[in-house]
Amino acid sequence: MEQPSKINNNEKSIQQGFSPSGCGDLISTRKFTALVVDNDPICQIIEKAILESQGVETQFVGSGIDALDLLVTGANFDIIIIAWVLPMMNGVETTRQVRAMGIRSKLLAVTACFDERKKKAFLDAGVDEFIEKPLNPKKVASIMREMKND
Amino acid sequence: MDRNKQHRQVALMRQSLFDQGLLDEQFVQLEELQDDANPNFVEEVVTLFYRDSARLILNIDQALDKSPLDFAKLDGYMHQFKGSASSIGAKKVKSECTLFREYCKAGNGEGCKRTFQQLKKEYALLRKKLETYFQLARQVGPVETACRRI
């Protein structure tokens, strides 16, 4: 395929599969996947819809145990979103166990109520980012841009 | 009433929900997830929120009737409630949740009870207004959400 010139407009570059920056880099067409670990049905549905609107294939589970059971089968996810409040095993412990399995997915902690103690606990356990609910499409879009550029 | 007038009425009704502080930007973000495949996504999520949160409201009511109050349990319920309320953009309800949790932390039972009464009022008011809005919106057909003034 012919390299676009640096003065190509963004739309033409994208149609040709090249980054609009004109540097010739291919835009990632890889399908990203996500797992939402949250026992709140509203949050499950909304977070799944937000991720899917960004082209991310998403599943959800209602507990840390279910998440670990899924991961142990070999299921791979680019992004794992973990809530603070989960039945039986909280989000922090879930995070610890996910990292202990050697999983290197992008882990995002989400919680309804921000506090420093919670943030520290999650970050120490191994999350990449700590987000106060609600998760919103703009935030997810920004995360996806970073991941696609990596 | 002609179609344009109906659309204007729906738009005004929608705007008033933001002007009155009942809804915030998260609601707009959810509207932007609607498409031809999911034209009623927001209404469906809001309906599910009211159905699911009824259980939490009952739990909190029952917990507030006990003596002595279990502030940790109350806080846990409200944490979950706040998560889903904020996810649908229920601004005033979310504020009352935050206030309630502050009273929990302070061990102030009267404050919790008073705030919860206010929360239930805001919750019921929002439900009524959203039901009216969704009903009118369905009657007039798809409304452009391009006008995002909030």
Side-chain angles (χ1 to χ4, degrees):
Chain A
M1 189 182 290
E2 196 175 332
Q3 286 274 10
S5 72
K6 286 185 181 177
I7 59 170
N8 263 2
N9 63 40
N10 287 355
E11 205 177 290
K12 190 172 174 189
S13 295
I14 291 167
Q15 282 170 355
Q16 291 174 329
F18 286 89
S19 161
S21 66
C23 64
D25 290 342
L26 285 167
I27 294 171
S28 169
T29 53
R30 181 166 86 79
K31 191 84 175 170
F32 284 81
T33 56
L35 176 66
V36 170
V37 188
D38 197 324
N39 71 328
D40 183 310
I42 312 301
C43 295
Q44 285 175 348
I45 289 168
I46 291 176
E47 287 167 14
K48 183 174 191 283
I50 290 173
L51 286 157
E52 288 181 344
S53 75
Q54 302 290 325
V56 181
E57 218 166 81
T58 307
Q59 291 182 46
F60 56 70
V61 291
S63 72
I65 306 279
D66 288 344
L68 295 174
D69 286 348
L70 185 56
L71 293 166
V72 116
T73 64
N76 278 319
F77 299 97
D78 297 291
I79 303 168
I80 302 176
I81 293 180
I82 303 181
W84 168 266
V85 174
L86 293 170
M88 294 174 287
M89 183 166 67
N90 68 28
V92 171
E93 186 53 34
T94 301
T95 303
R96 246 183 237 121
Q97 296 210 26
V98 167
R99 287 303 192 207
M101 289 171 72
I103 286 167
R104 303 181 64 181
S105 309
K106 189 156 187 92
L107 293 192
L108 308 176
V110 286
T111 178
C113 305
F114 174 86
D115 71 55
E116 283 298 335
R117 182 187 56 91
K118 217 176 266 178
K119 181 178 178 181
K120 184 177 186 310
F122 257 125
L123 290 171
D124 288 347
V127 300
D128 296 294
E129 252 189 89
F130 179 88
I131 300 166
E132 188 176 354
K133 283 183 182 176
L135 188 66
N136 66 56
K138 281 182 188 166
K139 180 63 184 171
V140 172
S142 134
I143 290 167
M144 294 312 302
R145 264 195 304 274
E146 271 176 36
M147 291 180 71
K148 285 172 184 172
N149 288 337
D150 277 348
Chain B
M1 196 186 292
D2 71 42
R3 204 151 181 83
N4 285 340
K5 271 191 184 159
Q6 286 177 324
H7 278 296
R8 273 197 298 275
Q9 192 185 5
V10 170
L12 283 170
M13 193 180 288
R14 177 185 172 276
Q15 186 58 41
S16 74
L17 297 172
F18 295 99
D19 293 342
Q20 288 167 35
L22 295 172
L23 295 175
D24 63 25
E25 171 70 21
Q26 178 69 5
F27 190 86
V28 178
Q29 303 274 340
L30 296 185
E31 284 178 319
E32 291 177 355
L33 295 176
Q34 292 187 145
D35 55 22
D36 292 339
N38 293 293
N40 301 313
F41 174 71
V42 180
E43 185 177 356
E44 287 166 7
V45 163
V46 168
T47 303
L48 181 61
F49 166 72
Y50 277 99
R51 193 181 314 144
D52 189 69
S53 57
R55 167 185 56 88
L56 271 173
I57 297 266
L58 181 63
N59 287 344
I60 297 170
D61 259 325
Q62 288 173 345
L64 284 171
D65 272 340
K66 292 193 158 79
S67 183
L69 292 178
D70 184 341
F71 289 107
K73 189 179 246 184
L74 284 166
D75 187 62
Y77 287 140
M78 194 52 75
H79 179 108
Q80 188 161 358
F81 189 78
K82 186 184 173 192
S84 45
S86 69
S87 296
I88 68 157
K91 188 176 177 183
K92 277 193 179 176
V93 173
K94 177 181 163 184
S95 297
E96 296 300 332
C97 292
T98 302
L99 189 54
F100 184 98
R101 292 193 75 232
E102 283 168 15
Y103 281 125
C104 278
K105 280 181 194 142
N108 184 335
E110 284 312 307
C112 286
K113 288 175 182 175
R114 210 170 39 243
T115 307
F116 191 58
Q117 292 311 310
Q118 185 60 30
L119 185 154
K120 286 195 285 185
K121 280 185 188 159
E122 297 295 348
Y123 172 86
L125 175 66
L126 179 63
R127 178 184 204 156
K128 192 173 168 195
K129 290 200 176 239
L130 282 174
E131 277 173 355
T132 306
Y133 165 67
F134 287 133
Q135 189 176 20
L136 187 62
R138 263 186 273 118
Q139 278 169 13
V140 304
V143 175
E144 271 305 313
T145 52
C147 177
R148 295 186 50 203
R149 185 170 67 93
I150 58 168

